[in-house]
Amino acid sequence: DAKQRGRNSFQFYTKDINSQTYRQLILENELVKALAREEFEIYYQPQVELDTGRVVGAEALLRWRHPEKGIQPPANFIAIAEETGLIEGLGLWVIQQVCEDLYRLGGDGNGQPRIAINLSARQFRQADLVDQYRTVIRETGIDPGKLELELTESTIMKDIDIAVGMFQQLHALGVRLAIDDFGTGYSSLNNLKHFPIDTLKIDRSFVRDIPGDNDDSAIVTAIVAMAKSLQLEVVAEGVESREQLEFLRRLGCEIVQGYYYSEPLPFDDFRKLLNGWTVEA
Ligand code: C2E
Ligand code: MG
Ligand code: MG
Ligand code: MG
């Protein structure tokens, strides 16, 4: 009967929650160890300038080399790192690693490329974030103009007033600022004009079905036009095909990133790419 079913489903529910909590505890514990054992690695996904075919930079994307499970993408661990606060230590490791890598690339004699780093919502609210960045930039001696910080539109929109202040402090460090996953966060132009932004990154979900899908094509066209009129650089994410690429080129989109050119690469492979060849654009 209903009562019986109710009880059973309740038991099932509790058990499910418990095993989920248990899995999260294990994961949290593993993440703490992973930081200490340096099991994290940064992959670099090239960003290509359409005019020239040059690799002008990359987005730094975090990976976890799990001792048993192999390479893990952020989807498998960033959320728990956010919830537990581990993201702050992890974020410090990321900025240090990226600055060291930038320094090494600069030593190759081809000039430093530009590297973009992702910041999560919790990092964005971190009281000592700006001090931390200032220190790492100073200690590694890199040009802060070669660093770009990516924040998603939804992170920014959660608390506009805090975000404006934070953007101004970060901008004062000399780093570039980008809005990631643009188009998904319902921000208005009126909000955006208060931010010292350098780059808009068009979310992959809009790029996926261009040029076939009329709505997405119209949205992408509008974003590129808006970015241009605001004198922002525009980067299209998730470009996988020649057709997408040609559509974006016709619109005047300057930079693309996606599997069409390259998946995220381990540092050594990215370095070879920078020093060896340009891709066909
Ligand atoms: P995101 O910043 O929007 O990064 C773009 C994601 O799209 C990356 O997934 C990238 O591998 C993937 N991607 C790039 N080109 C293509 C393509 O052509 N097709 C498809 N299907 N996917 C493509 P990834 O590396 O799994 O990262 C997922 C998210 O994790 C990132 O989204 C970012 O929000 C977050 N993340 C990555 N690294 C860090 C980090 O160091 N710190 C923080 N806080 N978050 C990070
Ligand atoms: Mg990003
Ligand atoms: Mg993105
Ligand atoms: Mg994303």
Side-chain angles (χ1 to χ4, degrees):
D1 64 340
K3 206 166 141 196
Q4 187 71 30
R5 270 204 312 278
R7 195 161 65 226
N8 281 344
S9 61
F10 177 71
Q11 280 174 346
F12 181 69
Y13 186 64
T14 354
K15 212 159 122 200
D16 207 46
I17 295 244
N18 284 338
S19 68
Q20 193 187 336
T21 310
Y22 181 65
R23 275 203 306 276
Q24 290 196 344
L25 274 172
I26 292 184
L27 183 57
E28 181 182 347
N29 193 16
E30 282 185 328
L31 280 174
V32 174
K33 286 194 203 136
L35 251 180
R37 293 177 185 159
E38 306 211 36
E39 289 171 5
F40 292 100
E41 188 170 341
I42 310 270
Y43 275 46
Y44 292 94
Q45 186 175 36
Q47 296 182 331
V48 177
E49 187 176 59
L50 281 179
D51 264 0
T52 58
R54 271 194 335 126
V55 175
V56 288
E59 177 173 9
L61 294 158
L62 191 57
R63 298 290 181 263
W64 175 13
R65 201 178 279 282
H66 191 284
E68 286 109 42
K69 291 183 266 181
I71 303 260
Q72 301 290 302
N76 293 0
F77 62 89
I78 288 279
I80 192 90
E82 270 286 289
E83 283 165 34
T84 55
L86 285 169
I87 193 73
E88 299 191 3
L90 196 50
L92 176 58
W93 182 84
V94 169
I95 179 79
Q96 282 170 331
Q97 188 61 51
V98 166
C99 287
E100 280 171 31
D101 287 349
L102 260 174
Y103 181 82
R104 289 197 278 166
L105 294 173
D108 290 347
N110 299 319
Q112 280 172 341
R114 179 179 93 185
I115 308 290
I117 293 182
N118 292 283
L119 286 185
S120 66
R122 180 154 179 162
Q123 291 176 276
F124 194 51
R125 294 193 306 267
Q126 197 179 316
D128 62 350
L129 184 81
V130 177
D131 285 339
Q132 211 175 61
Y133 275 32
R134 184 183 298 112
T135 306
V136 176
I137 289 167
R138 194 193 302 127
E139 282 173 357
T140 50
I142 59 128
D143 171 2
K146 298 296 182 182
L147 267 185
E148 185 163 85
L149 306 180
E150 294 189 2
L151 287 137
T152 65
E153 210 186 344
S154 29
T155 296
I156 295 166
M157 291 307 138
K158 259 181 212 151
D159 190 331
I160 292 261
D161 295 334
I162 291 184
V164 171
M166 197 66 185
F167 264 71
Q168 279 160 355
Q169 289 184 60
L170 289 167
H171 181 70
L173 291 180
V175 299
R176 295 172 57 91
L177 295 163
I179 300 192
D180 202 357
D181 302 350
F182 187 76
T184 60
Y186 310 104
S187 60
S188 70
L189 277 181
N190 201 33
N191 286 329
L192 282 184
K193 74 177 183 209
H194 299 296
F195 291 93
I197 306 162
D198 301 284
T199 303
L200 283 188
K201 293 193 79 176
I202 307 176
D203 192 63
R204 197 170 77 218
S205 62
F206 300 115
V207 172
R208 193 181 51 219
D209 297 327
I210 56 170
D213 184 281
N214 287 339
D215 292 339
D216 287 345
S217 299
I219 291 170
V220 170
T221 303
I223 295 177
V224 174
M226 180 189 81
K228 285 186 159 294
S229 65
L230 293 173
Q231 290 173 315
L232 302 175
E233 186 180 273
V234 57
V235 176
E237 298 191 302
V239 175
E240 295 183 356
S241 74
R242 188 84 212 175
E243 290 69 37
Q244 293 168 335
L245 184 93
E246 291 308 335
F247 181 81
L248 290 161
R249 192 207 297 278
R250 278 199 301 279
L251 295 181
C253 174
E254 294 153 294
I255 296 178
V256 298
Q257 181 186 335
Y259 296 167
Y260 179 75
Y261 281 122
S262 174
E263 291 188 10
L265 304 170
F267 176 75
D268 287 339
D269 293 342
F270 176 60
R271 187 180 201 172
K272 281 183 206 144
L273 181 71
L274 278 178
N275 292 333
W277 20 292
T278 54
V279 289
E280 190 193 318

